Amino acid sequence: MSVSALTFSDDQATAYDSVTEALRGAGVDLDDRLLTPPKSSATTVMAITGKAGSGKTLLLAELYKALQAAGVEVVSGDYESRKRRDKRTLAILAPTNKAASVLRLRGVPATTIHRILYTPVYDPEYERIAEWLAANGQRPEIEGLTEQALDRAAAFYATNKSIPGALAAAGLRGSDFITGWKRREEPLDIGFVDESSMLDDKQYEDLREIFPTLLLFGDPAQLAPVNQSGAMVFDKLPERRALSLSRIHRQEADNPILDLAHALGDPDIGFEQFERMVEQAAAKDERVVWGQRVEVDLMARSPVLVWRNATRIRLINAFRQVHGAPEDALLEGEPLICDGLELPLKHRKKRLDLEARGLIKGAQVIYLGAGRKPGFSRLHVMGAEDPQVSAASIVKIEKPDEEEPFIPFAARMGATFLHGAAVTIHKAQGSQWDTVQVFAPDLYAAARMGRSEAGQPLWKRLAYVAITRAQERLIWVVRNRLAVPTGPLVVDDLRALPAAPLSLAEDQPEEFL
């Protein structure tokens, strides 16, 4: 193993060595930093699994650093330099923008699966700048761009390896240099996929077509995709290809949130006993809160996590009511969740434009106000590398006990949104927030129903996923009450960047349930 033995536990070191051996067979020697052509065209898939705190992200980051040091080129999804015969590539992927942003905050250049399946088509004139920035060409002379503008692009790229960001620093807009999107035609080499428990069979097969060497990182204790009958894609791998990590206590020492998550693995713990553990943890550590109400001030940026759809809808309407939101409009700062795209087949290019900017199903966005055209919205896409967009929008506000949602405004077609002040725990997978509120009465209802998934009580899987979304603080809400907001919704902190147009397209609490 080429990294310090003090870095890893025994199981991490074993996993690192197993991956190193697989990469050597693919022509990437991490020990000698030597790149050679692959020895076989067969697809190799491995999985590294483990519960929260077991060190999966640390291992992924160390493998990325070792591959980069060996000369493997990282493909980010925003631009890919021209194919060279001797080039070897790595892409680090996550199913959602939020999951990719969690890795980027840790210094790992992750992107979404969609941004690898589809690649941008650059205007040939501006592609010369991209090739120069990627060290594959001479400094170009571009009509209309000054030497100072090119210097700004180079300075930006030196610290932020983003071609679109560098071109924006030179004064160019995305619509200037990206003319469209196309499905990837040529395969890459190595793919790392974080949060792979979220993959369905179709995504898995798409990735196998692109990557001869595929490494999956996933948590077997999470919830499987709804159409997978409790199974995850790495469950099908042979035992020698599925490496399991145990918890590393010294790296996550004294973390009460992870202590609670791992306690759910005890088959003898019931719901009432687990709640006593949460209450005891809250009495000892401020990172766990025994909440008597939902804190409405947190809901705009960190949704309440629930199990029942009816609870989600009631919480959303309570949030809007206490903020005085009108029936026929959205307030600036209201959170939304992308529910997909309503576009006919002839608008395939517009669909790719929207998805490439982060408006994929499950994306969390903040409403910044109406756009210049009827039905358009200015939006901040949480976790996206280029978060400010203006897009044709169809917003649906669901109402309690009503089958049809209320639509305050809508374009004829475009991105569809549901309100995002509360989300189901299934939809929260892959995301993390500093503070997370878990609505415990819903988990109690799941426990009372006695349902199981993949041999484990459903309430435990729900609780595990919900708890592990919290990075710093967990609020375990035990009553059906909502606090009064301490102030209006704000968006000033999100308006640092201009929006890029897309042509298509302790107060007294209140009862809320």
Side-chain angles (χ1 to χ4, degrees):
M1 187 174 65
S2 61
V3 294
S4 169
L6 296 176
T7 302
F8 291 149
S9 64
D10 289 343
D11 54 1
Q12 280 181 313
T14 299
Y16 187 96
D17 289 341
S18 296
V19 173
T20 298
E21 185 60 31
L23 291 173
R24 187 177 293 113
V28 179
D29 191 324
L30 296 185
D31 294 327
D32 295 332
R33 297 185 179 182
L34 180 65
L35 304 181
T36 59
K39 299 178 181 178
S40 170
S41 59
T43 300
T44 297
V45 182
M46 295 183 67
I48 296 176
T49 66
K51 292 185 178 180
S54 61
K56 298 186 299 296
T57 301
L58 172 65
L59 189 57
L60 186 156
E62 291 299 321
L63 285 165
Y64 150 65
K65 293 174 185 176
L67 283 163
Q68 187 181 46
V72 175
E73 179 179 320
V74 177
V75 177
S76 68
D78 59 27
Y79 178 75
E80 187 177 344
S81 60
R82 296 186 184 120
K83 188 75 173 177
R84 299 194 314 266
R85 184 172 298 179
D86 60 340
K87 185 175 74 171
R88 305 304 303 276
T89 57
L90 164 70
I92 303 169
L93 315 176
T96 66
N97 295 292
K98 202 72 169 68
S101 72
V102 170
L103 287 174
R104 291 197 298 271
L105 287 173
R106 300 186 184 190
V108 178
T111 188
T112 61
I113 292 171
H114 181 273
R115 290 296 293 268
I116 291 298
L117 292 176
Y118 293 91
T119 59
V121 178
Y122 275 61
D123 181 280
E125 187 78 354
Y126 298 120
E127 187 173 22
R128 292 163 55 204
I129 305 176
E131 286 294 311
W132 165 60
L133 293 172
N136 295 321
Q138 299 295 317
R139 182 183 177 106
E141 293 182 4
I142 305 294
E143 184 178 352
L145 279 188
T146 65
E147 292 298 311
Q148 291 81 3
L150 290 176
D151 289 341
R152 290 197 302 271
F156 182 95
Y157 191 74
T159 55
N160 303 277
K161 298 298 183 182
S162 168
I163 295 291
L167 295 176
L172 298 170
R173 299 176 303 171
S175 56
D176 291 329
F177 54 81
I178 295 179
T179 62
W181 299 81
K182 65 178 181 180
R183 189 173 178 91
R184 178 175 296 281
E185 297 174 352
E186 295 184 350
L188 295 169
D189 280 332
I190 303 164
F192 290 176
V193 185
D194 197 26
E195 298 286 355
S196 62
S197 59
M198 298 174 64
L199 294 180
D200 60 28
D201 288 337
K202 176 63 169 60
Q203 291 172 312
Y204 178 56
E205 290 306 318
D206 283 342
L207 292 169
R208 281 172 56 93
E209 289 181 7
I210 294 175
F211 297 103
T213 302
L214 190 61
L215 185 58
L216 309 176
F217 295 82
D219 186 339
Q222 291 199 24
L223 296 157
V226 292
N227 58 346
Q228 297 286 109
S229 301
M232 299 175 185
V233 293
F234 46 72
D235 292 337
K236 305 173 185 178
L237 296 177
E239 186 175 347
R240 63 187 177 83
R241 290 292 182 185
L243 310 171
S244 179
L245 303 180
S246 60
R247 184 180 178 190
I248 305 168
H249 294 272
R250 68 176 182 276
Q251 290 179 339
E252 302 290 353
D254 193 30
N255 187 328
I257 298 173
L258 284 180
D259 287 340
L260 291 169
H262 285 271
L264 290 162
D266 186 342
D268 295 328
I269 289 182
F271 182 83
E272 290 80 3
Q273 185 180 356
F274 180 73
E275 280 216 314
R276 298 290 75 76
M277 294 178 65
V278 176
E279 191 172 17
Q280 291 166 9
K284 298 176 183 178
D285 197 304
E286 62 183 9
R287 289 173 289 182
V288 178
V289 177
W290 183 259
Q292 294 293 323
R293 63 191 182 185
V294 173
E295 297 297 336
V296 71
D297 286 342
L298 297 172
M299 294 171 70
R301 303 290 173 86
S302 176
V304 182
L305 305 187
V306 304
W307 174 50
R308 295 178 292 190
N309 209 38
T311 307
R312 179 182 65 85
I313 294 172
R314 289 192 177 96
L315 273 168
I316 287 168
N317 282 271
F319 171 88
R320 302 198 79 233
Q321 182 177 355
V322 297
H323 275 294
E327 285 280 336
D328 59 349
L330 291 177
L331 296 175
E332 293 183 7
E334 288 199 66
L336 303 173
I337 299 291
C338 183
D339 196 42
L341 302 177
E342 292 190 1
L343 293 170
L345 290 176
K346 66 179 181 179
H347 288 289
R348 180 176 176 273
K349 179 180 181 298
K350 295 302 180 185
R351 174 182 293 274
L352 295 180
D353 286 341
L354 291 167
E355 292 175 335
R357 293 300 306 277
L359 292 178
I360 57 179
K361 191 175 180 69
Q364 181 187 6
V365 308
I366 305 297
Y367 178 73
L368 300 181
R372 294 180 179 179
K373 299 179 182 179
F376 274 64
S377 302
R378 289 179 291 118
L379 306 165
H380 181 97
V381 184
M382 303 297 286
E385 294 176 81
D386 187 11
Q388 305 287 307
V389 302
S390 177
S393 307
I394 302 166
V395 179
K396 302 175 182 179
I397 307 293
E398 297 151 293
K399 295 285 187 178
D401 305 317
E402 294 184 17
E403 290 187 11
E404 294 298 322
F406 169 70
I407 301 178
F409 66 88
R412 289 187 299 110
M413 53 188 171
T416 63
F417 296 95
L418 302 176
H419 206 278
V423 301
T424 62
I425 294 170
H426 273 91
K427 283 189 180 292
Q429 286 196 128
S431 295
Q432 285 189 307
W433 297 272
D434 286 343
T435 299
V436 164
Q437 300 185 85
V438 179
F439 193 70
D442 262 21
L443 301 186
Y444 176 67
R448 289 285 301 271
M449 291 179 67
R451 289 175 54 181
S452 296
E453 183 177 293
Q456 186 178 16
L458 176 61
W459 78 266
K460 288 189 174 184
R461 299 186 81 95
L462 291 166
Y464 177 86
V465 171
I467 286 171
T468 54
R469 300 311 92 201
Q471 292 177 298
E472 303 293 338
R473 189 167 64 128
L474 168 69
I475 302 177
W476 187 264
V477 180
V478 297
R479 298 187 66 188
N480 301 341
R481 296 169 72 85
L482 189 76
V484 175
T486 59
L489 297 170
V490 295
V491 295
D492 291 347
D493 60 319
L494 301 178
R495 283 180 165 153
L497 297 172
L502 289 173
S503 56
L504 246 191
E506 246 1 353
D507 298 299
Q508 292 299 312
E510 297 181 358
E511 298 285 351
F512 74 91
L513 285 178

